Amino acid sequence: MKIYNTLTKKVEEFIPNDKKQVKMYTCGPTVYNYAHIGNLRTYVFEDILEKTLNYIGYDVKRCMNITDVGHMTSDADTGEDKMLKGAQRENKTVYEIAQFYTDAFFSDLKDLNIKKPDIISKASDNIDEYIKIVEQLLKKGYAYLANNNVYFDVSKVSNYYDLSGKNKEDLLVAVREDVEEDEFKRNPADFGLWFTVSKFSNQVMKWDSPWGIGYPGWHIECSGIALKYLGDKLDIHCGGVDNIFPHHTNEIAQSESFIGHTWCKYWMHGEHLNDKTGKMSKSKGDFLTLSLLKEKGYDPLVYRMFCLQSHYRNQLVFSYEAMDITTNAYNKLINKIKSIKDNNCGKLDQDKINNYKSDFIKALENDLNTSSALTVLYNVLKDNEISNKTKLFLVGDFDKVLSLDLLNDSCDVLDLELKEYIETMINLRNEAKKNKDYNRADEIRNELLNKKIVLKDTKDGTIYEIK
Ligand code: AMP
Ligand code: ZN
């Protein structure tokens, strides 16, 4: 399998440390708000990666953190504490906020057919682990105490700039953009490992440590959790491109300084989902959630398909027009498969199965080319020379990776058919009203009412409610 490695900036052959089991770490959400559909694009990419590895024969041990403490509104150490901000916004405790948005995140994963990682660990559950690492980093001279906080000294590592490919000067600009500089840091890029002097007097989550009561920095959490659950040799570490600097850069610096050897071989990053105004981000406040898409009548799996149609390393622009087009494509696909299911006959053609499976694998092994993988699926469906039984076998097999519920006659598809029916009826009624054919308009309203569909005329047009 070939994958693009951010560390070497090359497409490389993937060779895990252990031939059988791949150890994979993926950064999880900061649970102070809903995940937006941009975050979810990254989780879809990671899900496809895990399922592809499974499909080609690897066992995958995957771990993900849930950040419930220590993440500031800037990804460096400045700005407000995200969790505290969320708690103040909703007049709840940070614990309530964390629980609520963790549950909401899991529900999004379920809706998108994203498999939950084998190990999911809350940042606040691993405090001892971070303290152990920070103590070692201090002992080895990689970290220093200043103003009662512990900082990592980036000048002590020679490969600090490798992952981002940026030089010190570029990074200085990036750091400076982060409002205030911390006068206690030796170098501007140094980052906090443990904070005891917090400017947030109302900091709720805090623990005792050798340096006083405080809390961990965001970056140490992922290193601590990954090292604890996956050991000191990781195969793949993933996230969105915004994680490259400073988060993953800092993870590498502190983990490798702690363990004394190379930590992770392959770093993979998903490009962003943008809206028309640029990168979708939680801090902008105005972002789209999966629940909102559902409220608007879109099937979450249509969003999954929308993601799969483009390569994870390309930016993707979200629009409702694109969602409508993908809804049509998804409906057609499901209906085509349904018609094949209704005629499930013929013999399994093993040679054809092998050929198509090999095309499918080739697409995915080419740095997860999901749009080519979808093309292989379409090629199967339109192949007149293979039996329906063979087609259905391949559809079910490919769906182990695509996870689009291709063989389920899911209610969502029926819902979408229903949605189309109602919209057609509303259009017919509007036309009747335009032609002053009020009897016909009433007839349509009553026909829908009999089906428990209630129309309401508003200044923005006709809306409906299903009773
Ligand atoms: P967060 O909850 O902000 O820590 O982000 C969770 C994951 O979503 C991280 O892997 C980010 O890199 C990723 N991410 C953030 N914004 C976007 C975006 N607009 N598009 C795709 N992924 C994103
Ligand atoms: Zn992380």
Side-chain angles (χ1 to χ4, degrees):
M1 176 165 178
K2 291 206 163 18
I3 53 175
Y4 180 83
N5 187 354
T6 310
L7 194 58
T8 57
K9 325 262 169 305
K10 280 189 202 124
V11 176
E12 288 178 14
E13 189 63 38
F14 174 66
I15 306 166
N17 289 303
D18 172 340
K19 283 198 183 76
K20 285 254 157 59
Q21 192 184 58
V22 173
K23 292 190 174 152
M24 174 172 167
Y25 186 86
T26 50
C27 287
T30 305
V31 283
Y32 72 112
N33 210 330
Y34 290 105
H36 58 61
I37 56 172
N39 302 130
L40 294 171
R41 180 187 187 205
T42 294
Y43 300 119
V44 167
F45 137 62
E46 293 163 348
D47 184 59
I48 287 286
L49 174 62
E50 179 176 0
K51 287 173 178 165
T52 297
L53 289 167
N54 284 148
Y55 190 83
I56 61 177
Y58 291 109
D59 172 30
V60 179
K61 188 170 179 191
R62 178 173 165 202
C63 177
M64 179 190 267
N65 63 298
I66 299 282
T67 299
D68 57 358
V69 64
H71 196 171
M72 303 298 136
T73 45
S74 98
D75 279 351
D77 305 324
T78 53
E80 292 176 76
D81 179 301
K82 289 188 175 187
M83 294 302 296
L84 217 55
K85 204 175 155 192
Q88 282 158 356
R89 183 187 63 228
E90 299 184 22
N91 215 4
K92 290 187 183 150
T93 68
V94 279
Y95 292 96
E96 285 167 339
I97 288 288
Q99 191 58 54
F100 180 84
Y101 289 111
T102 302
D103 292 344
F105 172 64
F106 289 156
S107 151
D108 287 345
L109 295 190
K110 189 160 180 282
D111 281 343
L112 286 166
N113 279 348
I114 295 174
K115 178 186 166 287
K116 263 191 181 178
D118 310 285
I119 304 155
I120 299 181
S121 190
K122 283 197 283 188
S124 60
D125 279 347
N126 299 283
I127 302 297
D128 289 351
E129 195 66 25
Y130 318 138
I131 292 179
K132 183 180 86 189
I133 298 172
V134 177
E135 276 181 319
Q136 273 298 313
L137 291 175
L138 277 164
K139 214 162 156 190
K140 289 183 165 185
Y142 289 105
Y144 59 95
L145 258 167
N147 193 28
N148 292 326
N149 294 325
V150 187
Y151 295 98
F152 188 91
D153 183 344
V154 302
S155 70
K156 294 279 159 70
V157 285
S158 57
N159 61 350
Y160 186 71
Y161 302 99
D162 285 3
L163 184 73
S164 64
K166 290 184 179 173
N167 60 34
K168 197 171 165 185
E169 286 64 41
D170 288 345
L171 293 188
L172 277 179
V173 175
V175 171
R176 272 201 211 103
E177 277 172 7
D178 286 322
V179 277
E180 332 121 52
E181 274 177 36
D182 184 337
E183 55 178 310
F184 294 99
K185 289 181 182 178
R186 287 183 191 163
N187 312 289
D190 288 356
F191 54 93
L193 295 165
W194 187 270
F195 295 99
T196 58
V197 179
S198 166
K199 59 185 168 126
F200 317 110
S201 51
N202 46 353
Q203 179 73 25
V204 184
M205 289 195 182
K206 45 192 169 193
W207 296 265
D208 204 6
S209 81
W211 318 285
I213 292 175
Y215 60 97
W218 170 44
H219 314 298
I220 194 73
E221 298 172 356
C222 282
S223 289
I225 293 173
L227 289 166
K228 177 171 167 182
Y229 293 101
L230 298 174
D232 64 1
K233 281 197 171 162
L234 203 56
D235 293 302
I236 311 182
H237 195 313
C238 307
V241 283
D242 57 304
N243 283 158
I244 298 173
F245 181 81
H247 187 48
H248 290 168
T249 298
N250 293 349
E251 276 190 53
I252 295 175
Q254 65 204 0
S255 300
E256 296 194 346
S257 303
F258 172 66
I259 57 182
H261 56 78
T262 302
W263 178 38
C264 176
K265 278 175 104 173
Y266 303 94
W267 289 81
M268 293 179 76
H269 294 96
E271 251 302 346
H272 280 152
L273 178 83
N274 295 330
D275 54 27
K276 281 176 189 145
T277 62
K279 180 197 157 199
M280 194 169 291
S281 81
K282 288 188 214 172
S283 48
K284 275 208 286 188
D286 182 23
F287 59 82
L288 292 174
T289 60
L290 195 65
S291 326
L292 191 75
L293 292 191
K294 277 164 70 181
E295 268 169 39
K296 286 185 183 286
Y298 294 105
D299 184 333
L301 295 184
V302 167
Y303 180 66
R304 185 176 171 104
M305 179 148 159
F306 173 66
C307 293
L308 300 189
Q309 284 166 338
S310 75
H311 192 253
Y312 76 94
R313 282 201 293 123
N314 290 336
Q315 290 189 354
L316 179 61
V317 178
F318 176 84
S319 70
Y320 285 111
E321 295 79 51
M323 281 298 283
D324 289 336
I325 293 168
T326 313
T327 298
N328 264 337
Y330 183 68
N331 280 348
K332 272 198 194 145
L333 183 62
I334 295 293
N335 287 334
K336 171 91 185 151
I337 294 168
K338 241 198 250 173
S339 71
I340 294 174
K341 266 173 91 179
D342 291 342
N343 261 305
N344 184 8
C345 53
K347 277 202 299 201
L348 278 184
D349 183 337
Q350 201 54 53
D351 287 343
K352 286 281 185 182
I353 289 177
N354 292 343
N355 289 345
Y356 276 119
K357 268 175 83 81
S358 136
D359 289 350
F360 186 69
I361 290 175
K362 229 182 267 163
L364 292 170
E365 283 189 337
N366 180 14
D367 195 23
L368 298 183
N369 193 333
T370 45
S371 68
S372 294
L374 283 171
T375 304
V376 179
L377 171 72
Y378 281 109
N379 290 344
V380 167
L381 294 176
K382 65 176 189 228
D383 186 337
N384 291 328
E385 293 182 0
I386 58 175
S387 67
N388 281 352
K389 206 172 207 134
T390 304
K391 287 184 185 181
L392 287 178
F393 175 87
L394 284 164
V395 169
D397 189 61
F398 294 173
D399 209 34
K400 289 181 201 159
V401 178
L402 302 174
S403 301
L404 291 168
D405 279 358
L406 297 176
L407 287 179
N408 296 0
D409 291 337
S410 77
C411 318
D412 289 322
V413 174
L414 291 177
D415 281 351
L416 282 165
E417 282 170 3
L418 185 64
K419 193 176 160 229
E420 260 171 36
Y421 161 74
I422 299 170
E423 278 165 6
T424 310
M425 294 304 271
I426 290 176
N427 287 340
L428 287 174
R429 180 169 166 264
N430 287 343
E431 209 153 295
K433 285 206 299 193
K434 214 163 100 193
N435 297 334
K436 300 201 169 19
D437 186 353
Y438 297 110
N439 286 342
R440 175 74 188 127
D442 284 347
E443 249 173 50
I444 293 172
R445 177 196 279 278
N446 290 335
E447 182 181 325
L448 290 172
L449 203 57
N450 284 341
K451 295 187 162 83
K452 300 202 179 330
I453 301 158
V454 184
L455 298 186
K456 282 184 197 153
D457 294 314
T458 72
K459 65 174 175 21
D460 298 323
T462 308
I463 56 168
Y464 63 89
E465 205 178 316
I466 301 173
K467 292 282 174 192

